[in-house]
Amino acid sequence: MIRHTLPPAARQVSLDDMPRQWLPTPEALVVALEKNIEAGEPAGLRALAPQMGAPEVDLTVTPLTARATMLGALGGRAFYHHELRLRQPMPEHLEPELAVWQAGTTPQWSDGVLAEPKYFSFFQDAPFPAFNPNHRRKWRAHELLHGASKFFWHPQMTRFELYVSARLNELLPIIHWYGFDEIFRPRCAEHRGKLLYREFCASCEALARPYWELDLAAEPQQRALGMGAAHNALEHLESEWSAIVQEIATGRLHATPRGRLDASSDAVGYMRAHWNRVTAWSTGSWVERFLVDGVDYFSTLDALLLNVGQATQDLVCGTLEVDESLYRARRTRRQLQDIASRVLVAMEWLDPESAEGERADDALEPHLDALAHACGELLEEPEKIETCVNAALESFAACSRAFSEVAELFPQPIAESFLGFGYRFLDADIFAEAGSAQLAQGVEDSAPKTFAMLTDPLDSAVALTQWEGFDETGRLSERVHGWLSSQLGEEHPLSEQARFEAFANAEPRTDEEATLFASLPDTPDDLLEAGGRLRPHATLRRASFSASVITHTIGQKLPEGSDDTRLPVAAALVDGQLRLMAESNDITRILDHLQAGEERSLWLTEALCEPLYELLENSLVCWLPEPRRASR
């Protein structure tokens, strides 16, 4: 049994009270979490990570992240791998009301990332969330709290009910992201005590480690920062809670914009993207046959609101206990729900009165019945759990085989995507094969020169999934380089090529301030007198590579005589394009000074103005002039 203990709640959750009345004070919560950190590692908690299909540190980086992980386990949640999951395209009548992007309803590779359409990248009713290795670590707890919040469905639901329920499902994940999850989360010096919205900070990500390894004595400011985060969380929660209660009571939208956040606007976007899908025959059949009201979803907004309140209290109060055998049973039940959903969406593509529709129905309906029966048995927590789990998994496999036998009846995208479940927590090698073609496309998109050098890209994609580093966070090009280096050695030409493409593709990839405000002085000598800030571009990266690799990749002319040397280079991403310069001694000196944060007057000489100007012209360095002021 895995346990995580905090002080019990003083009062039960009640819709008659505001959240502060049934949640701990910020002071009490922070003190309890301090004691939790000092108590050390909870026995068995590490064991959940491989069973849930996500990196251990992502699930344990703060005490409340660990509790979100346990809430996810109690609901049977696990992650599929984003790059291996094959999404089913939706038939036209299930598509969003408004086009979410030009690529339809399925992800597409772009700049080495499997990008998804906004508002259609996430389904609140999904049995499993995605592990997207390109997302920050905070996403794991965020996704699991969506699952703990659950969702609303009713056969006669209204558009307003779907809107309110979408806002409710997002409430706890957002409160946790911007508040609770910042309590004792390691941050770099620049971002300590600050909120990161869409910004990615590699330094912050690199500081992540299991919360019980935190040295609170070495970081005395953490308590004050944690107190501020807890206060913000409770204030944010009460503001949103009050607005949602008003919406349920009045039937009218009550927006509460908050900085860059607008929960009401996002909920409207979700409603418009998913209304056609959640009111379709396939969703109704799936909910009524494979889900249980009050367990998997709620059919009234009051019940959903109460559950969100209870999940919030469970996150910060009391003892959570996870039995690993029961977890596997609940996770298996989610698997059955997952495959049943895919069958029913596939059936939406066929005319039920056509010969194809009737034949598919005859072949698949008995398996749907078997899956529904197994879902019910697993919910009953049978005495012989392993026997029941094994039987349920056989039903899953039998349904997969049955679909393969009639796959020719369906449109090609449906036939090809059906078996792409993307699971890593069970039979990882088997499930990886179905997604290997999509992964190979990603390798080609993220590292095209490396891809062209592979003997068999499809076999290479499968082998990549078998490397232990594949399931870590990071861009695909970085993981391709890590895999090739582990197999061939760092000096192998293929590893070197992959290293360069990972270098070119790495985060960060934008510098908003430079894009908006950076300027170029009239002449190089002006830099000696010009005021303002001089700094490296936020995407600046530096490394040394074989000169032949650089020539092969970008075709850029290199200094004479450098063909067989290792060449130090500096690069930045500007409007998505790589700007690269070979480092002369002067350029190396300039970049070293700037990256050390040294005052310009201490090192800039007339001789360095020309190479500095060249860096500015290529946007590897930015000059941000100071505003003109009236003389005083």
Side-chain angles (χ1 to χ4, degrees):
M1 186 73 73
I2 304 168
R3 289 184 178 85
H4 196 283
T5 300
L6 289 176
R11 298 178 61 174
Q12 288 187 335
V13 176
S14 170
L15 300 187
D16 296 327
D17 299 324
M18 290 297 286
R20 285 184 190 271
Q21 296 179 269
W22 37 262
L23 291 176
T25 65
E27 294 78 8
L29 177 59
V30 171
V31 169
L33 294 177
E34 276 185 321
K35 292 180 179 178
N36 195 256
I37 292 170
E38 292 166 356
E41 178 182 352
L45 184 58
R46 288 179 190 265
L48 277 179
Q51 296 182 70
M52 297 183 79
E56 174 189 306
V57 68
D58 293 19
L59 301 179
T60 59
V61 68
T62 73
L64 293 183
T65 291
R67 288 180 70 85
T69 296
M70 295 188 69
L71 286 176
L74 288 168
R77 308 293 175 176
F79 295 87
Y80 60 77
H81 198 289
H82 172 66
E83 294 164 342
L84 295 175
R85 177 84 164 192
L86 303 183
R87 310 316 196 280
Q88 291 177 295
M90 294 291 163
E92 186 175 355
H93 59 285
L94 268 63
E95 290 182 352
E97 294 178 349
L98 301 175
V100 287
W101 69 345
Q102 295 180 344
T105 58
T106 55
Q108 301 290 326
W109 288 101
S110 176
D111 295 327
V113 172
L114 190 57
E116 298 178 280
K118 187 176 182 181
Y119 298 127
F120 215 70
S121 61
F122 162 69
F123 294 6
Q124 293 182 351
D125 46 274
F128 293 126
F131 165 67
N132 188 333
N134 297 288
H135 281 172
R136 284 176 277 171
R137 299 184 190 278
K138 287 172 75 77
W139 279 99
R140 261 46 90 189
H142 185 85
E143 302 283 16
L144 293 173
L145 290 175
H146 275 299
S149 298
K150 302 178 183 174
F151 68 99
F152 167 85
W153 188 86
H154 190 280
Q156 284 86 44
M157 70 163 61
T158 66
R159 292 169 67 88
F160 188 78
E161 286 175 320
L162 179 58
Y163 153 77
V164 175
S165 69
R167 188 171 182 177
L168 259 175
N169 179 268
E170 193 70 44
L171 178 56
L172 177 55
I174 287 293
I175 299 303
H176 185 258
W177 182 289
Y178 292 106
F180 290 140
D181 196 43
E182 289 299 312
I183 304 173
F184 299 122
R185 175 174 280 273
R187 287 288 182 205
C188 72
E190 180 182 353
H191 295 124
R192 194 170 293 137
K194 299 178 182 178
L195 288 180
L196 286 173
Y197 289 88
R198 294 184 179 275
E199 298 89 344
F200 173 89
C201 177
S203 298
C204 287
E205 294 295 295
L207 290 172
R209 56 194 184 276
Y211 74 81
W212 52 84
E213 295 180 9
L214 293 174
D215 184 357
L216 296 180
E219 300 183 68
Q221 76 280 9
Q222 282 280 18
R223 172 184 270 226
L225 293 173
M227 205 76 74
H231 276 285
N232 290 340
L234 287 174
E235 188 275 325
H236 190 176
L237 173 62
E238 293 218 318
S239 172
E240 280 298 299
W241 185 275
S242 178
I244 292 169
V245 168
Q246 288 185 53
E247 289 182 332
I248 295 173
T250 64
R252 301 182 67 177
L253 184 148
H254 189 84
T256 54
R258 187 185 184 93
R260 301 190 205 178
L261 305 177
D262 190 335
S264 177
S265 175
D266 286 343
V268 168
Y270 185 91
M271 180 271 291
R272 301 202 70 180
H274 292 270
W275 174 255
N276 290 337
R277 181 185 67 83
V278 300
T279 56
W281 160 83
S282 53
T283 299
S285 179
W286 179 68
V287 171
E288 292 179 341
R289 295 176 68 177
F290 298 94
L291 278 61
V292 175
D293 191 357
V295 175
D296 302 297
Y297 73 100
F298 296 92
S299 57
T300 70
L301 291 177
D302 282 341
L304 180 62
L305 179 63
L306 187 64
N307 180 73
V308 171
Q310 188 61 60
T312 305
Q313 189 182 74
D314 290 342
L315 179 68
V316 297
C317 296
T319 297
L320 297 176
E321 295 185 336
V322 173
D323 179 284
E324 291 185 69
S325 295
L326 282 178
Y327 168 62
R328 285 191 292 274
R330 291 166 180 164
R331 187 188 68 189
T332 301
R333 182 170 175 267
R334 297 293 180 198
Q335 276 185 255
L336 304 188
Q337 293 171 348
D338 193 22
I339 191 172
S341 174
R342 289 172 82 84
V343 169
L344 291 167
V345 169
M347 293 295 291
E348 287 273 14
W349 283 87
L350 302 180
D351 179 351
E353 297 181 359
S354 67
E356 292 83 359
E358 290 179 354
R359 182 181 162 196
D361 186 74
D362 289 343
L364 297 171
E365 188 59 33
H367 292 281
L368 290 175
D369 284 340
L371 293 171
H373 177 74
C375 276
E377 284 192 331
L378 289 168
L379 190 60
E380 296 296 326
E381 300 183 3
E383 292 183 8
K384 297 182 179 179
I385 290 179
E386 291 304 318
T387 300
C388 194
V389 166
N390 291 337
L393 291 175
E394 178 51 40
S395 295
F396 180 98
C399 186
S400 298
R401 291 191 295 268
F403 188 92
S404 297
E405 291 170 1
V406 294
E408 63 184 16
L409 302 174
F410 295 89
Q412 185 177 357
I414 290 295
E416 291 179 349
S417 65
F418 183 81
L419 295 177
F421 295 97
Y423 300 155
R424 303 294 285 165
F425 53 80
L426 179 74
D427 296 331
D429 291 348
I430 295 174
F431 285 110
E433 288 188 19
S436 59
Q438 175 173 270
L439 185 63
Q441 292 170 2
V443 175
E444 183 177 21
D445 184 74
S446 63
K449 298 293 185 180
T450 304
F451 180 85
M453 295 168 70
L454 296 172
T455 304
D456 188 326
L458 201 58
D459 284 351
S460 295
V462 173
L464 172 60
T465 68
Q466 296 169 346
W467 174 57
E468 61 181 6
F470 175 71
D471 294 312
E472 295 300 320
T473 56
R475 297 180 74 88
L476 180 57
S477 55
E478 295 173 1
R479 285 172 284 136
V480 169
H481 167 239
W483 165 63
L484 288 171
S485 297
S486 72
Q487 302 299 306
L488 305 174
E490 191 67 49
E491 302 302 319
H492 192 280
L494 192 51
S495 302
E496 177 77 349
Q497 179 64 55
R499 186 170 72 89
F500 181 81
E501 291 189 286
F503 165 84
N505 227 337
E507 297 280 0
R509 297 180 58 81
T510 59
D511 186 335
E512 185 175 1
E513 183 185 47
T515 300
L516 293 173
F517 304 120
S519 299
L520 192 65
D522 291 334
T523 68
D525 290 344
D526 290 343
L527 291 164
L528 290 169
E529 303 297 334
R533 288 183 291 136
L534 192 68
R535 64 166 176 80
H537 195 273
T539 70
L540 178 70
R541 67 281 316 268
R542 302 169 71 188
S544 293
F545 295 96
S546 163
S548 59
V549 164
I550 298 173
T551 303
H552 176 243
T553 305
I554 63 174
Q556 184 167 324
K557 187 176 180 180
L558 299 171
E560 187 175 348
S562 63
D563 289 346
D564 297 318
T565 65
R566 290 192 74 80
L567 190 70
V569 297
L573 283 165
V574 182
D575 297 328
Q577 300 299 311
L578 187 72
R579 304 271 183 92
L580 184 141
M581 295 176 63
E583 288 195 20
S584 64
N585 289 336
D586 285 345
I587 285 178
T588 296
R589 286 175 59 197
I590 292 169
L591 292 178
D592 286 348
H593 286 304
L594 287 172
Q595 289 188 310
E598 296 175 6
E599 176 62 39
R600 190 189 339 168
S601 61
L602 299 178
W603 57 266
L604 183 58
T605 63
E606 187 173 345
L608 291 177
C609 286
E610 285 284 354
L612 175 55
Y613 199 81
E614 186 180 2
L615 285 165
L616 287 165
E617 287 181 313
N618 285 280
S619 298
L620 273 67
V621 171
C622 309
W623 176 54
L624 299 155
E626 60 186 2
R628 292 179 178 84
R629 304 288 301 276
S631 58
R632 297 181 181 178

